[in-house]
Amino acid sequence: MSNNANMSGKVCLVTGANSGIGKVTALELARLGAHIVMVCRDRARGEAALAEIKQATGNNQLELMLCDLSSQADIRRFADEFKATHKRLDVLVNNAGVYLRKRQTTVDKLEATFAINHLGYFLLTNLLLDLLKQSAPSRIVNVSSSAHTSGHINFDDLQGEQSYGGGKAYCHSKLANILFTRELARQLAGTQVTANCLHPGAVATGIFRSLPKPIEAIIKLVTMSPEKGAQTTIYLASSPAVETVTGKYFIKCAEARPSAEAQDDQVASRLWAESARLTHLQADAVNH
Ligand SMILES: NC(=O)c1ccc[n+]([C@@H]2O[C@H](COP(=O)([O-])OP(=O)(O)OC[C@H]3O[C@@H](n4cnc5c(N)ncnc54)[C@H](OP(=O)(O)O)[C@@H]3O)[C@@H](O)[C@H]2O)c1
């Protein structure tokens, strides 16, 4: 446990909450007394995780809501459903992510790593922003990675059509998470809605399951448990120490400096505009 925050009465939405870092995040926030909305794409996996968390914490305020974050129509359906059934949202944890060795495309005809890891965070957050503002002080936590240091935003090939590698696409998407956080925090100045991002560490989860088994096995040997890996997410979601901190990147519950490109405001602003175009959002959806 990274802090003694009291989260009772707070509504926390965690994406990818059925496994790995997201599951531990949901469990620990449930232990702190929060009302948890677990957003998962598969009902059976979601129900199994929910039952486990309920059993471990005794918290009955757990909900499963389904959303496939690779589909913009499904994100919009989910956001509408969430807003119709919830009066507040105190913490949004954008955690769901994939590592895809081979290039895939989504129903929206977008490259899937970029679509799920970045546009999924972008669209879901923007659609829930009014509710987050109404619930302020509130928080947005974006799970990125130190892999962003090998990433680059190539505006001429955002969809990896000219060149695709699983690792490369993953690194680019995790850089996009930090740039998104930076621009979002800038736009949210004065609203008491904070936006921060983090590297969880190298964590033994299922995210690298598309890699050949021997490589996946080696990765598992050098990684920490999801319990340890979730600590910075939990800290940013709940600790009073970071209530007013915004636009920052964290490692091991401490502020850290991301790559030079991750701190480039022009890239952040251009990525925002491109993301708004690709998700059919008004570029000025957030009040400046
Ligand atoms: N593990 C690491 O070493 C590491 C390091 C740095 C950053 N991260 C980041 O940590 C976050 C969590 O990953 P993890 O390591 O905990 O991996 P994980 O155990 O594979 O968890 C990923 C979660 O995302 C969900 N997800 C994937 N695609 C989705 C979609 N289209 N719609 C809805 N949910 C979807 C997965 O659902 P299913 O179970 O249905 O697939 C799963 O619940 C990711 O953003 C990742 O980039 C991980």
Side-chain angles (χ1 to χ4, degrees), residues 18-19 21 41 45 68-69 95 170 174 203 205 209:
N18 61 283
S19 74
I21 296 162
R41 63 175 157 181
R45 287 197 287 275
D68 181 347
L69 294 158
N95 162 82
Y170 181 78
K174 294 288 120 181
V203 189
T205 67
R209 60 185 168 266

Side-chain angles (χ1 to χ4, degrees), residues 99 170 203 205-213 215-216 219 223:
Y99 176 99
Y170 181 78
V203 189
T205 67
I207 194 148
F208 298 114
R209 60 185 168 266
S210 72
L211 287 170
K213 288 293 161 219
I215 298 179
E216 199 195 357
I219 289 176
T223 46

Side-chain angles (χ1 to χ4, degrees), residues 87-107:
K87 290 199 175 70
R88 57 184 306 112
L89 177 58
D90 299 277
V91 181
L92 168 61
V93 181
N94 287 306
N95 162 82
V98 290
Y99 176 99
L100 300 172
R101 193 150 72 104
K102 297 206 170 114
R103 188 175 185 280
Q104 296 176 26
T105 51
T106 66
V107 286

